[in-house]
PDB file of all heavy atoms in Angstrom:
ATOM      1  N   ALA X   3       0.841  -1.165  -0.007  1.00  0.00           N
ATOM      2  CA  ALA X   3      -0.019  -0.001   0.014  1.00  0.00           C
ATOM      3  C   ALA X   3       0.899   1.226   0.021  1.00  0.00           C
ATOM      4  O   ALA X   3       2.030   1.197   0.470  1.00  0.00           O
ATOM      5  CB  ALA X   3      -0.948   0.043   1.223  1.00  0.00           C
ATOM      6  N   TRP X   4       0.312   2.281  -0.524  1.00  0.00           N
ATOM      7  CA  TRP X   4       0.935   3.676  -0.418  1.00  0.00           C
ATOM      8  C   TRP X   4       0.011   4.503   0.433  1.00  0.00           C
ATOM      9  O   TRP X   4      -1.221   4.558   0.187  1.00  0.00           O
ATOM     10  CB  TRP X   4       1.138   4.283  -1.816  1.00  0.00           C
ATOM     11  CG  TRP X   4       2.231   3.670  -2.607  1.00  0.00           C
ATOM     12  CD1 TRP X   4       2.096   2.661  -3.569  1.00  0.00           C
ATOM     13  CD2 TRP X   4       3.593   3.991  -2.561  1.00  0.00           C
ATOM     14  NE1 TRP X   4       3.305   2.355  -4.081  1.00  0.00           N
ATOM     15  CE2 TRP X   4       4.270   3.175  -3.494  1.00  0.00           C
ATOM     16  CE3 TRP X   4       4.340   4.918  -1.825  1.00  0.00           C
ATOM     17  CZ2 TRP X   4       5.661   3.205  -3.698  1.00  0.00           C
ATOM     18  CZ3 TRP X   4       5.733   4.969  -2.060  1.00  0.00           C
ATOM     19  CH2 TRP X   4       6.378   4.133  -2.984  1.00  0.00           C
ATOM     20  N   TYR X   5       0.645   5.187   1.391  1.00  0.00           N
ATOM     21  CA  TYR X   5      -0.064   6.113   2.251  1.00  0.00           C
ATOM     22  C   TYR X   5       0.562   7.481   2.068  1.00  0.00           C
ATOM     23  O   TYR X   5       1.723   7.622   1.714  1.00  0.00           O
ATOM     24  CB  TYR X   5       0.047   5.716   3.726  1.00  0.00           C
ATOM     25  CG  TYR X   5      -0.844   4.571   4.136  1.00  0.00           C
ATOM     26  CD1 TYR X   5      -0.555   3.260   3.761  1.00  0.00           C
ATOM     27  CD2 TYR X   5      -1.965   4.827   4.953  1.00  0.00           C
ATOM     28  CE1 TYR X   5      -1.480   2.259   4.176  1.00  0.00           C
ATOM     29  CE2 TYR X   5      -2.822   3.871   5.331  1.00  0.00           C
ATOM     30  CZ  TYR X   5      -2.521   2.514   4.976  1.00  0.00           C
ATOM     31  OH  TYR X   5      -3.343   1.519   5.372  1.00  0.00           O
ATOM     32  N   ARG X   6      -0.224   8.493   2.359  1.00  0.00           N
ATOM     33  CA  ARG X   6       0.180   9.878   2.351  1.00  0.00           C
ATOM     34  C   ARG X   6      -0.065  10.514   3.689  1.00  0.00           C
ATOM     35  O   ARG X   6      -1.092  10.317   4.290  1.00  0.00           O
ATOM     36  CB  ARG X   6      -0.492  10.685   1.213  1.00  0.00           C
ATOM     37  CG  ARG X   6      -0.129  12.151   1.155  1.00  0.00           C
ATOM     38  CD  ARG X   6      -0.774  12.828  -0.033  1.00  0.00           C
ATOM     39  NE  ARG X   6      -2.192  12.799  -0.005  1.00  0.00           N
ATOM     40  CZ  ARG X   6      -2.965  12.406  -1.054  1.00  0.00           C
ATOM     41  NH1 ARG X   6      -2.409  12.046  -2.176  1.00  0.00           N
ATOM     42  NH2 ARG X   6      -4.263  12.437  -0.916  1.00  0.00           N
ATOM     43  N   GLN X   7       0.930  11.341   4.082  1.00  0.00           N
ATOM     44  CA  GLN X   7       0.759  12.010   5.381  1.00  0.00           C
ATOM     45  C   GLN X   7       1.189  13.484   5.175  1.00  0.00           C
ATOM     46  O   GLN X   7       2.208  13.736   4.576  1.00  0.00           O
ATOM     47  CB  GLN X   7       1.568  11.396   6.459  1.00  0.00           C
ATOM     48  CG  GLN X   7       1.352  11.996   7.836  1.00  0.00           C
ATOM     49  CD  GLN X   7       2.017  11.211   8.898  1.00  0.00           C
ATOM     50  OE1 GLN X   7       2.998  10.509   8.681  1.00  0.00           O
ATOM     51  NE2 GLN X   7       1.401  11.215  10.101  1.00  0.00           N
ATOM     52  N   THR X   8       0.357  14.378   5.690  1.00  0.00           N
ATOM     53  CA  THR X   8       0.723  15.841   5.723  1.00  0.00           C
ATOM     54  C   THR X   8       0.804  16.223   7.181  1.00  0.00           C
ATOM     55  O   THR X   8       0.320  15.554   8.062  1.00  0.00           O
ATOM     56  CB  THR X   8      -0.342  16.639   5.031  1.00  0.00           C
ATOM     57  OG1 THR X   8      -1.649  16.427   5.578  1.00  0.00           O
ATOM     58  CG2 THR X   8      -0.403  16.365   3.514  1.00  0.00           C
ATOM     59  N   PRO X   9       1.536  17.357   7.427  1.00  0.00           N
ATOM     60  CA  PRO X   9       1.784  17.754   8.849  1.00  0.00           C
ATOM     61  C   PRO X   9       0.507  17.854   9.654  1.00  0.00           C
ATOM     62  O   PRO X   9      -0.496  18.447   9.215  1.00  0.00           O
ATOM     63  CB  PRO X   9       2.501  19.112   8.699  1.00  0.00           C
ATOM     64  CG  PRO X   9       3.187  19.010   7.357  1.00  0.00           C
ATOM     65  CD  PRO X   9       2.236  18.213   6.475  1.00  0.00           C
ATOM     66  N   GLY X  10       0.531  17.243  10.794  1.00  0.00           N
ATOM     67  CA  GLY X  10      -0.563  17.324  11.696  1.00  0.00           C
ATOM     68  C   GLY X  10      -1.764  16.435  11.385  1.00  0.00           C
ATOM     69  O   GLY X  10      -2.794  16.505  12.064  1.00  0.00           O
ATOM     70  N   THR X  11      -1.562  15.527  10.415  1.00  0.00           N
ATOM     71  CA  THR X  11      -2.616  14.592  10.077  1.00  0.00           C
ATOM     72  C   THR X  11      -2.144  13.151  10.118  1.00  0.00           C
ATOM     73  O   THR X  11      -0.914  12.918  10.173  1.00  0.00           O
ATOM     74  CB  THR X  11      -3.176  14.878   8.663  1.00  0.00           C
ATOM     75  OG1 THR X  11      -2.187  14.514   7.686  1.00  0.00           O
ATOM     76  CG2 THR X  11      -3.556  16.309   8.509  1.00  0.00           C
ATOM     77  N   GLN X  12      -3.068  12.235  10.196  1.00  0.00           N
ATOM     78  CA  GLN X  12      -2.740  10.840  10.144  1.00  0.00           C
ATOM     79  C   GLN X  12      -2.400  10.402   8.740  1.00  0.00           C
ATOM     80  O   GLN X  12      -2.843  11.071   7.769  1.00  0.00           O
ATOM     81  CB  GLN X  12      -3.861  10.003  10.712  1.00  0.00           C
ATOM     82  CG  GLN X  12      -4.026  10.193  12.199  1.00  0.00           C
ATOM     83  CD  GLN X  12      -5.106   9.212  12.746  1.00  0.00           C
ATOM     84  OE1 GLN X  12      -6.047   8.835  12.043  1.00  0.00           O
ATOM     85  NE2 GLN X  12      -4.996   8.792  13.975  1.00  0.00           N
ATOM     86  N   ARG X  13      -1.766   9.355   8.623  1.00  0.00           N
ATOM     87  CA  ARG X  13      -1.497   8.779   7.299  1.00  0.00           C
ATOM     88  C   ARG X  13      -2.795   8.253   6.693  1.00  0.00           C
ATOM     89  O   ARG X  13      -3.638   7.645   7.427  1.00  0.00           O
ATOM     90  CB  ARG X  13      -0.520   7.579   7.357  1.00  0.00           C
ATOM     91  CG  ARG X  13       0.899   8.003   7.752  1.00  0.00           C
ATOM     92  CD  ARG X  13       1.791   6.814   7.857  1.00  0.00           C
ATOM     93  NE  ARG X  13       3.089   7.210   8.428  1.00  0.00           N
ATOM     94  CZ  ARG X  13       4.114   6.414   8.649  1.00  0.00           C
ATOM     95  NH1 ARG X  13       4.006   5.164   8.281  1.00  0.00           N
ATOM     96  NH2 ARG X  13       5.256   6.867   9.238  1.00  0.00           N
ATOM     97  N   THR X  14      -3.041   8.557   5.464  1.00  0.00           N
ATOM     98  CA  THR X  14      -4.235   8.103   4.766  1.00  0.00           C
ATOM     99  C   THR X  14      -3.838   7.253   3.595  1.00  0.00           C
ATOM    100  O   THR X  14      -2.846   7.471   2.898  1.00  0.00           O
ATOM    101  CB  THR X  14      -5.115   9.253   4.295  1.00  0.00           C
ATOM    102  OG1 THR X  14      -4.325  10.088   3.471  1.00  0.00           O
ATOM    103  CG2 THR X  14      -5.597  10.127   5.419  1.00  0.00           C
ATOM    104  N   LEU X  15      -4.711   6.257   3.344  1.00  0.00           N
ATOM    105  CA  LEU X  15      -4.473   5.343   2.257  1.00  0.00           C
ATOM    106  C   LEU X  15      -4.662   5.978   0.916  1.00  0.00           C
ATOM    107  O   LEU X  15      -5.691   6.628   0.641  1.00  0.00           O
ATOM    108  CB  LEU X  15      -5.386   4.107   2.411  1.00  0.00           C
ATOM    109  CG  LEU X  15      -5.254   3.036   1.283  1.00  0.00           C
ATOM    110  CD1 LEU X  15      -3.839   2.364   1.433  1.00  0.00           C
ATOM    111  CD2 LEU X  15      -6.372   2.032   1.416  1.00  0.00           C
ATOM    112  N   VAL X  16      -3.670   5.825   0.049  1.00  0.00           N
ATOM    113  CA  VAL X  16      -3.771   6.373  -1.317  1.00  0.00           C
ATOM    114  C   VAL X  16      -4.163   5.235  -2.271  1.00  0.00           C
ATOM    115  O   VAL X  16      -5.026   5.439  -3.125  1.00  0.00           O
ATOM    116  CB  VAL X  16      -2.387   6.951  -1.749  1.00  0.00           C
ATOM    117  CG1 VAL X  16      -2.427   7.346  -3.195  1.00  0.00           C
ATOM    118  CG2 VAL X  16      -2.007   8.104  -0.852  1.00  0.00           C
ATOM    119  N   ALA X  17      -3.497   4.125  -2.164  1.00  0.00           N
ATOM    120  CA  ALA X  17      -3.769   2.946  -3.027  1.00  0.00           C
ATOM    121  C   ALA X  17      -3.184   1.694  -2.422  1.00  0.00           C
ATOM    122  O   ALA X  17      -2.213   1.772  -1.660  1.00  0.00           O
ATOM    123  CB  ALA X  17      -3.199   3.205  -4.402  1.00  0.00           C
ATOM    124  N   ASP X  18      -3.814   0.595  -2.718  1.00  0.00           N
ATOM    125  CA  ASP X  18      -3.216  -0.669  -2.277  1.00  0.00           C
ATOM    126  C   ASP X  18      -3.484  -1.780  -3.268  1.00  0.00           C
ATOM    127  O   ASP X  18      -4.385  -1.654  -4.145  1.00  0.00           O
ATOM    128  CB  ASP X  18      -3.655  -1.093  -0.870  1.00  0.00           C
ATOM    129  CG  ASP X  18      -5.107  -1.399  -0.747  1.00  0.00           C
ATOM    130  OD1 ASP X  18      -5.843  -1.323  -1.713  1.00  0.00           O
ATOM    131  OD2 ASP X  18      -5.570  -1.771   0.380  1.00  0.00           O
ATOM    132  N   ILE X  19      -2.682  -2.790  -3.205  1.00  0.00           N
ATOM    133  CA  ILE X  19      -2.804  -3.949  -4.042  1.00  0.00           C
ATOM    134  C   ILE X  19      -2.631  -5.173  -3.222  1.00  0.00           C
ATOM    135  O   ILE X  19      -1.702  -5.367  -2.445  1.00  0.00           O
ATOM    136  CB  ILE X  19      -1.737  -3.914  -5.182  1.00  0.00           C
ATOM    137  CG1 ILE X  19      -1.885  -5.068  -6.093  1.00  0.00           C
ATOM    138  CG2 ILE X  19      -0.337  -3.758  -4.675  1.00  0.00           C
ATOM    139  CD1 ILE X  19      -1.064  -4.932  -7.371  1.00  0.00           C
ATOM    140  N   ALA X  20      -3.650  -6.055  -3.283  1.00  0.00           N
ATOM    141  CA  ALA X  20      -3.695  -7.232  -2.476  1.00  0.00           C
ATOM    142  C   ALA X  20      -2.910  -8.383  -3.062  1.00  0.00           C
ATOM    143  O   ALA X  20      -2.386  -8.266  -4.208  1.00  0.00           O
ATOM    144  CB  ALA X  20      -5.151  -7.649  -2.298  1.00  0.00           C
ATOM    145  N   THR X  21      -2.786  -9.475  -2.319  1.00  0.00           N
ATOM    146  CA  THR X  21      -1.958 -10.559  -2.705  1.00  0.00           C
ATOM    147  C   THR X  21      -2.303 -11.077  -4.169  1.00  0.00           C
ATOM    148  O   THR X  21      -1.388 -11.305  -4.947  1.00  0.00           O
ATOM    149  CB  THR X  21      -2.122 -11.715  -1.725  1.00  0.00           C
ATOM    150  OG1 THR X  21      -1.804 -11.290  -0.402  1.00  0.00           O
ATOM    151  CG2 THR X  21      -1.237 -12.911  -2.118  1.00  0.00           C
ATOM    152  N   TYR X  22      -3.552 -11.177  -4.462  1.00  0.00           N
ATOM    153  CA  TYR X  22      -3.887 -11.702  -5.738  1.00  0.00           C
ATOM    154  C   TYR X  22      -4.264 -10.600  -6.801  1.00  0.00           C
ATOM    155  O   TYR X  22      -4.796 -10.919  -7.819  1.00  0.00           O
ATOM    156  CB  TYR X  22      -5.116 -12.670  -5.636  1.00  0.00           C
ATOM    157  CG  TYR X  22      -4.669 -13.868  -4.805  1.00  0.00           C
ATOM    158  CD1 TYR X  22      -5.157 -14.030  -3.445  1.00  0.00           C
ATOM    159  CD2 TYR X  22      -3.854 -14.838  -5.300  1.00  0.00           C
ATOM    160  CE1 TYR X  22      -4.745 -15.142  -2.716  1.00  0.00           C
ATOM    161  CE2 TYR X  22      -3.460 -15.952  -4.528  1.00  0.00           C
ATOM    162  CZ  TYR X  22      -3.931 -16.062  -3.214  1.00  0.00           C
ATOM    163  OH  TYR X  22      -3.543 -17.110  -2.519  1.00  0.00           O
ATOM    164  N   GLY X  23      -3.799  -9.338  -6.434  1.00  0.00           N
ATOM    165  CA  GLY X  23      -3.852  -8.333  -7.458  1.00  0.00           C
ATOM    166  C   GLY X  23      -5.001  -7.391  -7.381  1.00  0.00           C
ATOM    167  O   GLY X  23      -5.090  -6.496  -8.220  1.00  0.00           O
ATOM    168  N   TYR X  24      -5.882  -7.577  -6.444  1.00  0.00           N
ATOM    169  CA  TYR X  24      -7.020  -6.608  -6.304  1.00  0.00           C
ATOM    170  C   TYR X  24      -6.521  -5.269  -5.902  1.00  0.00           C
ATOM    171  O   TYR X  24      -5.752  -5.194  -4.903  1.00  0.00           O
ATOM    172  CB  TYR X  24      -8.098  -7.153  -5.326  1.00  0.00           C
ATOM    173  CG  TYR X  24      -9.314  -6.327  -5.264  1.00  0.00           C
ATOM    174  CD1 TYR X  24     -10.301  -6.428  -6.268  1.00  0.00           C
ATOM    175  CD2 TYR X  24      -9.532  -5.381  -4.262  1.00  0.00           C
ATOM    176  CE1 TYR X  24     -11.429  -5.662  -6.247  1.00  0.00           C
ATOM    177  CE2 TYR X  24     -10.719  -4.620  -4.171  1.00  0.00           C
ATOM    178  CZ  TYR X  24     -11.625  -4.765  -5.189  1.00  0.00           C
ATOM    179  OH  TYR X  24     -12.787  -4.011  -5.169  1.00  0.00           O
ATOM    180  N   ILE X  25      -6.969  -4.235  -6.570  1.00  0.00           N
ATOM    181  CA  ILE X  25      -6.439  -2.926  -6.354  1.00  0.00           C
ATOM    182  C   ILE X  25      -7.588  -1.961  -5.897  1.00  0.00           C
ATOM    183  O   ILE X  25      -8.677  -2.063  -6.467  1.00  0.00           O
ATOM    184  CB  ILE X  25      -5.761  -2.365  -7.609  1.00  0.00           C
ATOM    185  CG1 ILE X  25      -4.451  -3.127  -7.898  1.00  0.00           C
ATOM    186  CG2 ILE X  25      -5.504  -0.855  -7.515  1.00  0.00           C
ATOM    187  CD1 ILE X  25      -3.832  -2.782  -9.249  1.00  0.00           C
ATOM    188  N   THR X  26      -7.234  -1.100  -4.947  1.00  0.00           N
ATOM    189  CA  THR X  26      -8.152  -0.009  -4.574  1.00  0.00           C
ATOM    190  C   THR X  26      -7.442   1.308  -4.548  1.00  0.00           C
ATOM    191  O   THR X  26      -6.195   1.350  -4.356  1.00  0.00           O
ATOM    192  CB  THR X  26      -8.775  -0.268  -3.216  1.00  0.00           C
ATOM    193  OG1 THR X  26      -7.706  -0.313  -2.209  1.00  0.00           O
ATOM    194  CG2 THR X  26      -9.529  -1.581  -3.141  1.00  0.00           C
ATOM    195  N   TYR X  27      -8.180   2.316  -4.812  1.00  0.00           N
ATOM    196  CA  TYR X  27      -7.654   3.718  -4.814  1.00  0.00           C
ATOM    197  C   TYR X  27      -8.506   4.627  -3.944  1.00  0.00           C
ATOM    198  O   TYR X  27      -9.758   4.434  -3.925  1.00  0.00           O
ATOM    199  CB  TYR X  27      -7.552   4.289  -6.235  1.00  0.00           C
ATOM    200  CG  TYR X  27      -6.632   3.590  -7.152  1.00  0.00           C
ATOM    201  CD1 TYR X  27      -7.106   2.659  -8.097  1.00  0.00           C
ATOM    202  CD2 TYR X  27      -5.293   3.886  -7.139  1.00  0.00           C
ATOM    203  CE1 TYR X  27      -6.235   2.022  -8.920  1.00  0.00           C
ATOM    204  CE2 TYR X  27      -4.418   3.195  -7.979  1.00  0.00           C
ATOM    205  CZ  TYR X  27      -4.877   2.276  -8.924  1.00  0.00           C
ATOM    206  OH  TYR X  27      -4.006   1.711  -9.765  1.00  0.00           O
ATOM    207  N   ALA X  28      -7.900   5.629  -3.336  1.00  0.00           N
ATOM    208  CA  ALA X  28      -8.634   6.666  -2.737  1.00  0.00           C
ATOM    209  C   ALA X  28      -9.423   7.422  -3.838  1.00  0.00           C
ATOM    210  O   ALA X  28      -8.873   7.556  -4.993  1.00  0.00           O
ATOM    211  CB  ALA X  28      -7.751   7.639  -1.992  1.00  0.00           C
ATOM    212  N   ASP X  29     -10.582   7.883  -3.541  1.00  0.00           N
ATOM    213  CA  ASP X  29     -11.379   8.532  -4.571  1.00  0.00           C
ATOM    214  C   ASP X  29     -10.640   9.742  -5.165  1.00  0.00           C
ATOM    215  O   ASP X  29     -10.773  10.053  -6.306  1.00  0.00           O
ATOM    216  CB  ASP X  29     -12.696   9.065  -3.964  1.00  0.00           C
ATOM    217  CG  ASP X  29     -13.666   7.968  -3.705  1.00  0.00           C
ATOM    218  OD1 ASP X  29     -13.459   6.820  -4.224  1.00  0.00           O
ATOM    219  OD2 ASP X  29     -14.629   8.156  -2.844  1.00  0.00           O
ATOM    220  N   SER X  30      -9.833  10.425  -4.369  1.00  0.00           N
ATOM    221  CA  SER X  30      -9.163  11.596  -4.794  1.00  0.00           C
ATOM    222  C   SER X  30      -8.072  11.348  -5.878  1.00  0.00           C
ATOM    223  O   SER X  30      -7.643  12.295  -6.552  1.00  0.00           O
ATOM    224  CB  SER X  30      -8.505  12.336  -3.658  1.00  0.00           C
ATOM    225  OG  SER X  30      -7.548  11.523  -3.038  1.00  0.00           O
ATOM    226  N   VAL X  31      -7.651  10.096  -5.995  1.00  0.00           N
ATOM    227  CA  VAL X  31      -6.558   9.828  -6.987  1.00  0.00           C
ATOM    228  C   VAL X  31      -6.979   8.883  -8.110  1.00  0.00           C
ATOM    229  O   VAL X  31      -6.224   8.618  -8.983  1.00  0.00           O
ATOM    230  CB  VAL X  31      -5.331   9.175  -6.233  1.00  0.00           C
ATOM    231  CG1 VAL X  31      -4.882  10.059  -5.065  1.00  0.00           C
ATOM    232  CG2 VAL X  31      -5.627   7.800  -5.775  1.00  0.00           C
ATOM    233  N   LYS X  32      -8.275   8.444  -8.024  1.00  0.00           N
ATOM    234  CA  LYS X  32      -8.719   7.566  -9.113  1.00  0.00           C
ATOM    235  C   LYS X  32      -8.616   8.192 -10.463  1.00  0.00           C
ATOM    236  O   LYS X  32      -8.961   9.386 -10.644  1.00  0.00           O
ATOM    237  CB  LYS X  32     -10.200   7.194  -8.851  1.00  0.00           C
ATOM    238  CG  LYS X  32     -10.378   6.120  -7.727  1.00  0.00           C
ATOM    239  CD  LYS X  32     -11.824   5.829  -7.561  1.00  0.00           C
ATOM    240  CE  LYS X  32     -12.016   4.738  -6.440  1.00  0.00           C
ATOM    241  NZ  LYS X  32     -13.428   4.443  -6.158  1.00  0.00           N
ATOM    242  N   GLY X  33      -8.094   7.438 -11.383  1.00  0.00           N
ATOM    243  CA  GLY X  33      -7.914   7.967 -12.738  1.00  0.00           C
ATOM    244  C   GLY X  33      -6.621   8.729 -12.969  1.00  0.00           C
ATOM    245  O   GLY X  33      -6.220   9.073 -14.076  1.00  0.00           O
ATOM    246  N   ARG X  34      -5.901   9.003 -11.873  1.00  0.00           N
ATOM    247  CA  ARG X  34      -4.632   9.744 -12.017  1.00  0.00           C
ATOM    248  C   ARG X  34      -3.443   8.931 -11.516  1.00  0.00           C
ATOM    249  O   ARG X  34      -2.356   9.051 -12.047  1.00  0.00           O
ATOM    250  CB  ARG X  34      -4.703  11.037 -11.178  1.00  0.00           C
ATOM    251  CG  ARG X  34      -5.822  12.001 -11.626  1.00  0.00           C
ATOM    252  CD  ARG X  34      -5.677  13.346 -10.871  1.00  0.00           C
ATOM    253  NE  ARG X  34      -5.828  13.236  -9.470  1.00  0.00           N
ATOM    254  CZ  ARG X  34      -4.931  13.573  -8.573  1.00  0.00           C
ATOM    255  NH1 ARG X  34      -3.719  14.051  -8.966  1.00  0.00           N
ATOM    256  NH2 ARG X  34      -5.153  13.433  -7.279  1.00  0.00           N
ATOM    257  N   PHE X  35      -3.637   8.062 -10.492  1.00  0.00           N
ATOM    258  CA  PHE X  35      -2.550   7.296  -9.949  1.00  0.00           C
ATOM    259  C   PHE X  35      -2.658   5.790 -10.341  1.00  0.00           C
ATOM    260  O   PHE X  35      -3.862   5.311 -10.486  1.00  0.00           O
ATOM    261  CB  PHE X  35      -2.549   7.388  -8.426  1.00  0.00           C
ATOM    262  CG  PHE X  35      -2.144   8.699  -7.866  1.00  0.00           C
ATOM    263  CD1 PHE X  35      -2.034   9.848  -8.631  1.00  0.00           C
ATOM    264  CD2 PHE X  35      -1.840   8.833  -6.516  1.00  0.00           C
ATOM    265  CE1 PHE X  35      -1.646  11.076  -8.094  1.00  0.00           C
ATOM    266  CE2 PHE X  35      -1.450  10.023  -5.981  1.00  0.00           C
ATOM    267  CZ  PHE X  35      -1.351  11.134  -6.769  1.00  0.00           C
ATOM    268  N   THR X  36      -1.582   5.174 -10.467  1.00  0.00           N
ATOM    269  CA  THR X  36      -1.596   3.696 -10.760  1.00  0.00           C
ATOM    270  C   THR X  36      -0.612   3.023  -9.853  1.00  0.00           C
ATOM    271  O   THR X  36       0.570   3.370  -9.829  1.00  0.00           O
ATOM    272  CB  THR X  36      -1.254   3.440 -12.197  1.00  0.00           C
ATOM    273  OG1 THR X  36      -2.120   4.116 -13.078  1.00  0.00           O
ATOM    274  CG2 THR X  36      -1.313   1.975 -12.477  1.00  0.00           C
ATOM    275  N   ILE X  37      -1.043   2.021  -9.103  1.00  0.00           N
ATOM    276  CA  ILE X  37      -0.196   1.212  -8.256  1.00  0.00           C
ATOM    277  C   ILE X  37       0.165  -0.044  -8.992  1.00  0.00           C
ATOM    278  O   ILE X  37      -0.684  -0.636  -9.637  1.00  0.00           O
ATOM    279  CB  ILE X  37      -0.865   0.939  -6.911  1.00  0.00           C
ATOM    280  CG1 ILE X  37       0.124   0.305  -5.915  1.00  0.00           C
ATOM    281  CG2 ILE X  37      -2.117   0.106  -7.055  1.00  0.00           C
ATOM    282  CD1 ILE X  37      -0.437   0.176  -4.493  1.00  0.00           C
ATOM    283  N   SER X  38       1.401  -0.517  -8.763  1.00  0.00           N
ATOM    284  CA  SER X  38       1.809  -1.763  -9.374  1.00  0.00           C
ATOM    285  C   SER X  38       3.004  -2.325  -8.639  1.00  0.00           C
ATOM    286  O   SER X  38       3.536  -1.646  -7.722  1.00  0.00           O
ATOM    287  CB  SER X  38       2.214  -1.530 -10.866  1.00  0.00           C
ATOM    288  OG  SER X  38       3.295  -0.675 -10.971  1.00  0.00           O
ATOM    289  N   ARG X  39       3.368  -3.511  -8.963  1.00  0.00           N
ATOM    290  CA  ARG X  39       4.579  -4.152  -8.369  1.00  0.00           C
ATOM    291  C   ARG X  39       5.216  -5.092  -9.419  1.00  0.00           C
ATOM    292  O   ARG X  39       4.479  -5.496 -10.344  1.00  0.00           O
ATOM    293  CB  ARG X  39       4.275  -4.863  -7.125  1.00  0.00           C
ATOM    294  CG  ARG X  39       3.287  -6.009  -7.291  1.00  0.00           C
ATOM    295  CD  ARG X  39       2.767  -6.596  -5.974  1.00  0.00           C
ATOM    296  NE  ARG X  39       1.681  -7.527  -6.254  1.00  0.00           N
ATOM    297  CZ  ARG X  39       0.782  -7.960  -5.365  1.00  0.00           C
ATOM    298  NH1 ARG X  39       0.837  -7.536  -4.131  1.00  0.00           N
ATOM    299  NH2 ARG X  39      -0.198  -8.777  -5.721  1.00  0.00           N
ATOM    300  N   ASP X  40       6.488  -5.386  -9.201  1.00  0.00           N
ATOM    301  CA  ASP X  40       7.093  -6.271 -10.130  1.00  0.00           C
ATOM    302  C   ASP X  40       6.723  -7.757  -9.858  1.00  0.00           C
ATOM    303  O   ASP X  40       6.099  -8.041  -8.802  1.00  0.00           O
ATOM    304  CB  ASP X  40       8.608  -6.117 -10.115  1.00  0.00           C
ATOM    305  CG  ASP X  40       9.304  -6.526  -8.861  1.00  0.00           C
ATOM    306  OD1 ASP X  40       8.582  -6.926  -7.936  1.00  0.00           O
ATOM    307  OD2 ASP X  40      10.513  -6.379  -8.777  1.00  0.00           O
ATOM    308  N   SER X  41       7.059  -8.641 -10.796  1.00  0.00           N
ATOM    309  CA  SER X  41       6.627 -10.039 -10.640  1.00  0.00           C
ATOM    310  C   SER X  41       7.241 -10.690  -9.450  1.00  0.00           C
ATOM    311  O   SER X  41       6.736 -11.644  -8.861  1.00  0.00           O
ATOM    312  CB  SER X  41       6.961 -10.784 -11.922  1.00  0.00           C
ATOM    313  OG  SER X  41       8.335 -10.778 -12.194  1.00  0.00           O
ATOM    314  N   ALA X  42       8.459 -10.221  -9.015  1.00  0.00           N
ATOM    315  CA  ALA X  42       9.083 -10.815  -7.849  1.00  0.00           C
ATOM    316  C   ALA X  42       8.515 -10.289  -6.579  1.00  0.00           C
ATOM    317  O   ALA X  42       8.833 -10.807  -5.462  1.00  0.00           O
ATOM    318  CB  ALA X  42      10.595 -10.504  -7.884  1.00  0.00           C
ATOM    319  N   LYS X  43       7.675  -9.270  -6.711  1.00  0.00           N
ATOM    320  CA  LYS X  43       6.998  -8.642  -5.523  1.00  0.00           C
ATOM    321  C   LYS X  43       8.114  -8.076  -4.564  1.00  0.00           C
ATOM    322  O   LYS X  43       7.916  -8.130  -3.318  1.00  0.00           O
ATOM    323  CB  LYS X  43       6.088  -9.544  -4.819  1.00  0.00           C
ATOM    324  CG  LYS X  43       4.907  -9.965  -5.694  1.00  0.00           C
ATOM    325  CD  LYS X  43       3.915 -10.814  -4.981  1.00  0.00           C
ATOM    326  CE  LYS X  43       2.693 -11.181  -5.769  1.00  0.00           C
ATOM    327  NZ  LYS X  43       2.941 -11.890  -7.007  1.00  0.00           N
ATOM    328  N   THR X  44       9.207  -7.544  -5.096  1.00  0.00           N
ATOM    329  CA  THR X  44      10.180  -6.927  -4.246  1.00  0.00           C
ATOM    330  C   THR X  44      10.325  -5.419  -4.549  1.00  0.00           C
ATOM    331  O   THR X  44      11.044  -4.723  -3.882  1.00  0.00           O
ATOM    332  CB  THR X  44      11.568  -7.611  -4.410  1.00  0.00           C
ATOM    333  OG1 THR X  44      11.926  -7.517  -5.805  1.00  0.00           O
ATOM    334  CG2 THR X  44      11.542  -9.029  -3.937  1.00  0.00           C
TER     335      THR X  44
END
């Protein structure tokens, strides 16, 4: 997962990708951000 934090706030989820590839995005970044990982998952 990728989280974002600004001063004085908690970390908020930006995007995540589950074990089998299911992806979610925060509404604010949908259509603009893309999360991915390599095949080795490193």
Side-chain angles (χ1 to χ4, degrees):
W4 287 95
Y5 281 75
R6 177 174 63 228
Q7 186 171 28
T8 55
T11 69
Q12 292 186 328
R13 294 179 189 181
T14 58
L15 180 67
V16 174
D18 66 359
I19 180 168
T21 302
Y22 296 107
Y24 186 78
I25 290 173
T26 61
Y27 294 101
D29 288 342
S30 62
V31 307
K32 284 180 181 176
R34 299 188 297 120
F35 289 13
T36 303
I37 188 172
S38 63
R39 63 191 170 197
D40 66 358
S41 58
K43 297 183 175 62
T44 57

